[in-house]
Amino acid sequence: MESSCLFKIVTSTNDLPIDWNALATSNIFLAREYLAVLEQSKPKNMDCFFISFYKNDKLVGIALAQFLDLNKLESFGERDKCVKTAVRNFIFKNFCSHVLFIGNNMLTGQNAFSFSDEIEIEKGIELLRQAELEIKLILKKRGKKVHLTTYKDFDKTEINHFPEKEFEPFYQFSTQPNMVFKVSENWLTFDDYIASLSKKYRDQYKRCRKKAEGIEKRKMNLEEIIAQEDTIYELYFHVAKNAPFNTFFLAKNHFGVMKSQLKDKFLFYGYFENEKLIGFNTLIKNGSQMDTYFLGYDETIQREKMLYLNMLYDMIAYSINKGFKEIIFARTALEIKSSVGAKPEEMVGYIQHSNGLINRKMEQLFCYLEPETEWKERNPFK
């Protein structure tokens, strides 16, 4: 590593370099404003580290790392009660409860780092690996030993930049795909999208909209989000705890802090029945890309009113009408997202266990860490 290259690790956004955002222009999730959201309303079991990289005293890279203590979780997910789940929970609690993520465990996609043209990506990643080792020393001084280290969510081209020698001790894994919805150039309005669906999926759309009659959708401002904070959290928590697997739960004030920091780049939509909030979804404008964020709903109403599917159509409608090029639908609910036109994109990562013996068995262990989902891809278009 060139002697002129170095890095600095901080844990407060107040200590970020003044020009930090110059390297976050293409990704809002590395911007100072979003990192301030993490700082002010991160999950209870998470610590964040912000890394800046310098070459000849000039800022050439920025990165995010998160340390999660899974022992602080009350539940890893309550949906699947089976022997495999019990084994997984035992493994996690005893051997894998301290996890260092290089990247953002709350999102899908490459939200780990951004480098300027003045440093080769390979060099930057080499430097990031050194910063990772430094973070482990910081945590060790706090009495926390990292069990698992993972670099997450890179596509096939990005993963090629990782230096082989540096990542030899890691197991390369592939996780559930990221569901990405590409907006066709032929769709100028949402009606164009509906017209492009095959009869079966146009009928699905009509049935879905009919079911939701009587539900009012409203864009909510900061004051309304804060006023409904308890209900919002109940709806979110209901969905989160029924997921197959969790490594964190959001703080109660998270959506209010998101709105106050990101302002009109963060959209919060509430769904009301007889003036009662029964569901919500959130979107984040990220350049020409729309990122779906967390949502929540009352399960009894969601089934009866096809609320989740209605939300997907609403997100698509907004994104097409406002000229966004793609929607990042992320993981989970792969089949239903594919039924509205999202396509799977494979994500690759690296993982390493601090115990050499366990690390050698990482391939076998990984199937417990990342529960496999069986699903059928749909094609809703003519």
Side-chain angles (χ1 to χ4, degrees):
M1 184 55 58
E2 294 170 32
S3 57
S4 57
C5 290
L6 52 93
F7 58 83
K8 187 181 177 190
I9 300 164
V10 298
T11 54
S12 167
T13 52
N14 293 331
D15 299 326
L16 294 180
I18 295 163
D19 48 349
W20 176 280
N21 269 9
L23 288 175
T25 50
S26 62
N27 189 353
I28 195 171
F29 297 116
L30 285 170
R32 182 188 295 268
E33 294 76 12
Y34 173 75
L35 299 180
V37 175
L38 288 185
E39 193 179 7
Q40 293 168 37
S41 66
K42 64 180 187 288
K44 284 191 186 108
N45 66 328
M46 179 185 286
D47 293 312
C48 294
F49 298 89
F50 313 124
I51 312 157
S52 41
F53 301 94
Y54 299 88
K55 187 175 180 181
N56 302 326
D57 295 331
K58 187 177 182 189
L59 184 71
V60 292
I62 58 175
L64 169 68
Q66 295 173 336
F67 172 74
L68 271 87
D69 184 349
L70 302 185
N71 286 327
K72 291 183 181 174
L73 277 188
E74 60 218 67
S75 158
F76 289 134
E78 294 173 10
R79 195 187 72 184
D80 305 331
K81 294 192 184 340
C82 62
V83 174
K84 188 172 178 178
T85 305
V87 171
R88 183 198 67 200
N89 292 355
F90 175 80
I91 290 170
F92 256 107
K93 240 176 171 40
N94 293 282
F95 305 108
C96 305
S97 58
H98 290 171
V99 189
L100 180 63
F101 288 94
I102 308 301
N104 193 327
N105 185 46
M106 298 164 70
L107 303 165
T108 302
Q110 202 291 80
N111 300 297
F113 56 76
S114 171
F115 293 108
S116 77
D117 295 338
E118 294 181 48
I119 185 169
E120 291 174 12
I121 295 182
E122 288 81 358
K123 268 267 194 270
I125 293 171
E126 238 174 88
L127 210 53
L128 179 59
R129 178 88 167 95
Q130 289 184 21
E132 167 232 307
L133 298 172
E134 184 68 32
I135 290 169
K136 286 178 179 169
L137 289 176
I138 293 168
L139 288 164
K140 197 176 177 183
K141 283 174 189 165
R142 294 184 196 169
K144 294 174 180 175
K145 179 181 165 61
V146 172
H147 299 136
L148 281 176
T149 307
T150 178
Y151 287 69
K152 68 182 286 283
D153 287 355
F154 302 95
D155 66 28
K156 282 294 177 62
T157 53
E158 290 162 344
I159 208 76
N160 290 337
H161 293 299
F162 280 69
E164 271 180 46
K165 186 168 159 285
E166 297 285 332
F167 287 86
E168 205 177 348
F170 286 75
Y171 167 65
Q172 190 183 107
F173 65 89
S174 179
T175 59
Q176 279 185 29
N178 183 9
M179 298 302 285
V180 179
F181 181 97
K182 304 269 189 201
V183 176
S184 165
E185 290 174 2
N186 302 324
W187 303 335
L188 301 179
T189 66
F190 183 58
D191 288 341
D192 296 332
Y193 160 76
I194 297 301
S196 72
L197 297 173
S198 65
K199 184 180 182 306
K200 176 184 172 182
Y201 289 97
R202 260 201 324 278
D203 289 347
Q204 172 182 284
Y205 170 75
K206 288 174 192 166
R207 189 170 71 252
C208 172
R209 288 310 203 200
K210 194 162 179 56
K211 289 265 192 184
E213 282 171 6
I215 289 177
E216 186 199 350
K217 178 185 148 203
R218 270 185 235 157
K219 189 189 273 193
M220 291 168 69
N221 63 28
L222 178 59
E223 289 69 31
E224 291 166 326
I225 293 168
I226 291 168
Q228 293 268 15
E229 199 168 78
D230 289 345
T231 308
I232 288 167
Y233 195 76
E234 275 171 35
L235 295 169
Y236 153 74
F237 194 71
H238 169 79
V239 173
K241 78 174 187 342
N242 284 304
F245 188 54
N246 283 308
T247 51
F248 67 89
F249 291 105
L250 295 177
K252 194 179 266 194
N253 69 343
H254 186 76
F255 297 107
V257 174
M258 279 290 283
K259 190 64 182 168
S260 66
Q261 284 288 344
L262 300 189
K263 302 186 168 54
D264 65 345
K265 287 190 172 163
F266 177 66
L267 304 172
F268 190 105
Y269 288 99
Y271 290 73
F272 294 83
E273 189 174 45
N274 303 323
E275 289 304 307
K276 180 178 184 268
L277 184 67
I278 53 153
F280 72 88
N281 69 49
T282 53
L283 293 166
I284 297 169
K285 299 174 184 177
N286 193 5
S288 64
Q289 177 180 297
M290 182 65 85
D291 276 74
T292 62
Y293 201 52
F294 293 93
L295 52 73
Y297 47 69
D298 178 321
E299 181 57 46
T300 53
I301 296 167
Q302 123 68 14
R303 290 200 171 183
E304 181 197 336
K305 302 285 188 181
M306 295 174 80
L307 196 54
Y308 183 70
L309 189 53
N310 270 293
M311 287 178 181
L312 293 182
Y313 286 128
D314 288 342
M315 292 170 182
I316 292 168
Y318 183 91
S319 302
I320 293 173
N321 292 337
K322 295 291 182 184
F324 285 86
K325 298 276 187 284
E326 63 179 18
I327 309 168
I328 304 301
F329 274 128
R331 297 193 177 94
T332 71
L334 306 177
E335 199 158 321
I336 194 169
K337 285 170 182 172
S338 124
S339 82
V340 298
K343 294 276 180 208
E345 289 192 0
E346 193 185 353
M347 305 307 284
V348 185
Y350 281 106
I351 192 165
Q352 179 190 27
H353 200 285
S354 58
N355 180 307
L357 286 171
I358 296 175
N359 197 48
R360 282 205 283 279
K361 300 283 183 190
M362 186 51 79
E363 197 169 344
Q364 293 93 306
L365 182 64
F366 191 77
C367 67
Y368 285 102
L369 304 184
E370 178 77 23
E372 202 172 328
T373 309
E374 283 187 23
W375 66 289
K376 191 175 176 187
E377 191 173 344
R378 308 285 176 184
N379 176 25
F381 302 111
K382 287 175 183 166

